[in-house]
Each structure stands twice: as structure tokens, then as C-alpha cells.
Amino acid sequence: MSDGTPADRFFDAAIGLLQRVREEEAEHIDAAGALLADTVAAGGRLFAFGAGHSSLAAQDVVYRAGGLALMNLLTVPGVVGVDVMPATLGSALERVDGLATAVLDSSPLRAGDTLVIISLSGRNALPVEMAMSARARGVKVIGVTSVAYATETTPRHSSGTYLKDHCDVVLDSKIAIGDAELTLDTVPAPFAPASTVVTSALLQAAVATAAAGLAARGIEPPMLRSGNVDGGLAWNARVFEEYGDRIFYRQ
């Protein structure tokens, strides 16, 4: 992809990745959507977690117009993006053993729930331990990661494993090591990451699959509407009332 402007090249790269995950991850997207639908239908709750920039994709499916109202953000203080100073502290916390278990001990997560864990590399202690600990509690885990990292990097968790090794369903984002799609002779490092674009698309595809799957079973999916359209606030108030015991970002 040497032709075109950097913007053209980035769009080409992102579109190519989206096409790859559409074709190569279709079966896993269906499985993830079915697992989300199964959880909702059985009375379970949904949670999403991501550290650093992976938290952006988690936030994208929580309290979102057009999204499932039951998707809750599982937060770990200090690792949800650049909310701490220095920002490097968040990266350091991802490598701390024991943190994930302490977080889950204090969370509302319980058996029968489903947790989406987003980690591009899947190699740090936090996402690995979170997946292991969640499954030990009877929670289903959907992992969103780049499987390539497990073949080209060393694990940082004491088990010697990666996030992908502790999931009921894995969505592979296909992102290359380093998460930078472009190079130029005049720029000393690779640049233009696409992981947020692709990971968000994977998750929205899974949520869409879940919504359609619930409807196919005769269950009205608990979707949110935009509060900026007429009737949206009233619609959401009804959903919040009906499913209040499974929505934690309102408490």
C-alpha cells in the first residue's frame, strides 16, 4: 500500500482488517452473539472490561444508544485509559499479579454472567488473571484480542498463558504486533493504530447478533434508544425500570 496519501493508506488498512474479521471471524462472532443472548435470556448480566486503549471498545458497548442496556462496564481504578498521572502507571498496573482477583472480589459479577475482556496483546497479568478468575466463578468469558501476539511475544502472567487460553469464545482482531498500520521513510516509528476501529466493530457485530438472536427466540432485546430523539428518554426509562436489577451503571 505505497500509493495514496497517509489517510488513504490508513483507510485501506482499516477496511482490509474489517474485511478480514468479517470473513474469518464470522463463526466466532455468531458464537459470541449467541453467548450474550443466552446470558440475557437466562437472567444473567453482561460486563465488559478493557485496560488502556482497550477500554475504549468496552465503553463503546456500555450505556449506548442502539446497544444492549444490560452491558455494564467493569472498571479497574487506574487502568481505564489515561485517567491517572502519569499515564504510564496504568500500563504498569496491567502487569500486577492479584489485582484482577481483588477487583472481581469487589464486583457484582456472579455465576451465570458473561464478561467481555478486551486486550490487544492478551499477554499482561490483568486480563489473563481476570479471565481465569471469572471462569472459576462460573462466569462465561468472551476474549477480544490479537492472537498473533501469542505467537510472537512472551507471556507476562505467571501461568505462562495468554487471554486467549482462558475464554469460552475468542474474537481475533487480526491486528499485527505493535498496532501500527503505516510506515514512512521520514517517520522513525510505525504509526496509525487500527485496533480501536476493528475491536469496536467486532463487539458491535456481536451485540447486533445477540439482539437479533433474542428477537428470534421471542424475547424483546433490552435495547437503549438515543435520548436525543423524541420518545427516547421515556423508552430508556421503561428499560431501566424493567431491568434495573441487572444494570449497575445507574446505581
Side-chain angles (χ1 to χ4, degrees):
M1 294 186 296
S2 58
D3 297 332
T5 67
D8 289 335
R9 292 174 58 204
F10 176 76
F11 281 121
D12 286 342
I15 291 168
L17 284 164
L18 289 171
Q19 190 63 45
R20 277 194 67 192
V21 297
R22 179 181 183 179
E23 295 172 355
E24 299 174 19
E25 294 300 298
E27 181 179 344
H28 298 144
I29 292 169
D30 285 345
L35 180 50
L36 294 174
D38 288 345
T39 304
V40 173
R45 296 85 59 80
L46 308 176
F47 296 84
F49 167 78
H53 286 95
S54 291
S55 72
L56 297 175
Q59 293 176 60
D60 192 49
V61 292
V62 175
Y63 186 47
R64 183 65 189 263
L68 285 168
L70 306 191
M71 186 67 78
N72 301 277
L73 188 66
L74 181 64
T75 59
V76 177
V79 306
V80 185
V82 289
D83 60 335
V84 294
M85 299 291 276
T88 50
L89 174 59
S91 298
L93 289 173
E94 292 183 59
R95 300 190 288 270
V96 174
D97 286 339
L99 179 57
T101 298
V103 168
L104 293 186
D105 285 343
S106 303
S107 78
L109 212 68
R110 68 187 185 194
D113 293 342
T114 291
L115 172 61
V116 178
I117 301 177
I118 307 155
S119 173
L120 178 60
S121 71
R123 68 188 295 222
N124 287 313
L126 183 58
V128 174
E129 180 187 328
M130 185 170 288
M132 295 173 69
S133 185
R135 293 182 88 190
R137 298 162 194 255
V139 173
K140 298 293 186 181
V141 174
I142 297 171
V144 189
T145 187
S146 172
V147 172
Y149 275 83
T151 65
E152 299 183 41
T153 66
T154 55
R156 287 175 170 158
H157 188 256
S158 57
S159 66
T161 60
Y162 296 81
L163 170 61
K164 73 174 184 63
D165 300 317
H166 305 284
C167 300
D168 297 278
V169 180
V170 174
L171 298 178
D172 183 3
S173 64
K174 316 293 182 183
I175 299 295
I177 305 297
D179 191 18
E181 296 300 320
L182 303 184
T183 58
L184 277 177
D185 292 342
T186 54
V187 179
F191 59 103
S195 60
T196 303
V197 174
V198 178
T199 301
S200 291
L202 277 168
L203 284 178
Q204 292 296 351
V207 170
T209 301
L214 286 167
R217 305 180 196 191
I219 301 171
E220 180 183 325
M223 314 303 296
L224 293 175
R225 292 191 174 189
S226 172
N228 296 314
V229 300
D230 291 344
L233 293 176
W235 172 281
N236 292 343
R238 177 184 66 82
V239 174
F240 290 145
E241 176 66 24
E242 184 174 352
Y243 293 95
D245 61 334
R246 298 156 75 181
I247 299 172
F248 295 92
Y249 50 83
R250 283 181 54 82
Q251 298 178 6

